[in-house]
Amino acid sequence: MGGGKGGSDFDPKGKSEAEVRRFCQSFMTELFRYIHPSTDVPAGDIGVGGREIGYMYGTYKRLTNRHGEGVVTGKSLLFGGSPFRPEATGFGLVYITKLAVEKQLNKSMEGMRCAVSGSGNVAQFACKKLMDLGATVLTMSDSNGVLFFDDGMTKEDFNKIMDCKNVQRGRLSELDGKVSGEYMDGQTPWTIRAPMDIALPCATQNEVGEEGAKTLLENGIVVLAEGANLPTTLEGQEVIRSKPEIIYLPAKAANAGGVGVSGLEMSQNAQHLTWEAEEVDQKLQKMMKDIYTMMNENKGEAGTLEDGANL
């Protein structure tokens, strides 16, 4: 659990619900032989959310005649999922960012101008928690372009994006003129030149390159917190490290909330229980606090939080 990556070359864009379902069923028809709560436990990622997990888990149950096993995580609450699993990665990212801002900068998240990339599960819930904390969310993006909210995303904007992505399965370009922000075709949050405090790349691997990192420095960021897996290239990392005063929270620490709550989902499956959402949220907050504490304690006197995470 949480140790590797796998997937397929099936592109769900433009596919019908039936085509996605048939692919997921076929994929699990081959995969089910190799997964088990004690062997390998897949979970969702880019292009794989609750819908796809549901199709695959349903196929697993049909093929094995087993129910209630923690053999995949991110399941619906209707068949063994955990409260707060969809929110876990994005919320956990913001929890650890909040701790770093408070402890390292002696500041509050309120009013912080935050650039978020992506518009999938991680980005959605990172934006939600940022707004809950009073931060100003400047961007969300997909592979075609970015929505830029210079005055901050509103809750109405957020709800429209959630509907576009989770119900309509559409592109952000379809919201141009329907939200308070400006849609910029072909752009990313890391090509926009505007004042920023915190960058949270939540889209995909290698999205923040050398030029993007330089733009972030020019925009005045004080924190880079990674929600996606390895979103900053080696060259981008070197640019960020050239300014040791910038707080860099690498993905292996900052986005650990997702796999952590996957573990909690397996625990609930093993006990045949479903915990209350508040209990899972408290455990997630403690998990991220413990990770931050370990990073801080292991960084040494002259080290950074990244150094602490590496140790």
Side-chain angles (χ1 to χ4, degrees):
M1 182 185 70
K5 287 292 173 187
S8 72
D9 59 359
F10 176 81
D11 186 355
K13 294 176 186 174
K15 300 294 195 301
S16 69
E17 186 94 9
E19 289 173 312
V20 172
R21 173 173 49 81
R22 287 196 298 270
F23 174 78
C24 291
Q25 291 170 337
S26 297
F27 189 76
M28 182 55 77
T29 299
E30 297 301 319
L31 183 66
F32 86 99
R33 300 173 177 85
Y34 309 104
I35 60 176
H36 183 271
S38 300
T39 307
D40 195 359
V41 183
D45 207 304
I46 299 172
V48 179
R51 175 183 65 166
E52 293 76 20
I53 291 292
Y55 291 149
M56 288 191 280
Y57 188 56
T59 303
Y60 176 85
K61 291 192 295 179
R62 177 173 58 82
L63 293 170
T64 63
N65 198 31
R66 295 174 186 161
H67 174 67
E69 291 189 338
V71 73
V72 294
T73 61
K75 304 183 292 294
S76 165
L77 285 172
L78 297 174
F79 41 86
S82 171
F84 257 78
R85 177 58 187 93
E87 297 91 338
T89 308
F91 276 25
L93 171 67
V94 177
Y95 288 150
I96 198 168
T97 302
K98 177 177 180 288
L99 283 167
V101 168
E102 292 173 346
K103 303 292 186 183
Q104 301 289 319
L105 302 177
N106 197 29
K107 292 183 178 181
S108 164
M109 289 293 291
E110 188 168 357
M112 286 283 185
R113 291 173 60 86
C114 303
V116 179
S117 66
S119 51
N121 179 272
V122 181
Q124 289 171 13
F125 289 109
C127 289
K128 183 178 189 302
K129 182 54 65 176
L130 287 168
M131 288 192 291
D132 288 346
L133 295 175
T136 300
V137 176
L138 301 176
T139 61
M140 286 185 81
S141 64
D142 59 22
S143 57
N144 297 120
V146 59
L147 282 172
F148 175 57
F149 303 86
D150 195 22
D151 295 325
M153 181 191 299
T154 66
K155 289 190 176 180
E156 184 180 359
D157 293 332
F158 176 75
N159 290 335
K160 288 180 180 178
I161 293 170
M162 291 287 279
D163 179 73
C164 174
K165 285 297 179 180
N166 300 334
V167 180
Q168 306 302 326
R169 307 280 173 180
R171 312 297 294 168
L172 292 182
S173 58
E174 298 169 22
L175 295 175
D176 192 20
K178 299 178 182 178
V179 294
S180 64
E182 175 188 0
Y183 179 74
M184 299 179 175
D185 188 53
Q187 300 293 309
T188 77
W190 325 128
T191 59
I192 293 174
R193 297 185 182 276
M196 299 174 182
D197 298 307
I198 302 175
L200 300 106
C202 298
T204 189
Q205 185 173 339
N206 294 331
E207 58 173 296
V208 183
E210 182 178 3
E211 291 306 313
K214 288 179 179 177
T215 300
L216 288 177
L217 294 188
E218 293 170 6
N219 289 341
I221 68 159
V222 291
V223 179
L224 172 62
E226 297 181 332
N229 290 310
L230 300 174
T232 310
T233 66
L234 293 175
E235 295 79 12
Q237 290 175 11
E238 289 305 315
V239 171
I240 298 299
R241 291 186 188 118
S242 71
K243 301 290 184 181
E245 66 272 18
I246 293 177
I247 299 171
Y248 177 32
L249 302 174
K252 59 185 171 185
N255 75 13
V259 71
V261 175
S262 280
L264 299 181
E265 182 176 331
M266 292 178 67
S267 297
Q268 292 168 79
N269 292 160
Q271 298 175 70
H272 299 287
L273 294 173
T274 300
W275 299 338
E276 294 294 329
E278 294 77 12
E279 181 179 0
V280 180
D281 189 28
Q282 288 172 4
K283 291 179 183 294
L284 172 61
Q285 291 187 52
K286 182 179 184 303
M287 192 184 303
M288 302 315 294
K289 182 178 181 181
D290 289 345
I291 290 172
Y292 174 81
T293 300
M294 286 189 287
M295 293 167 67
N296 195 47
E297 289 179 349
N298 287 283
K299 68 182 178 65
E301 291 186 9
T304 64
L305 290 175
E306 183 194 9
D307 294 331
N310 291 336
L311 292 174

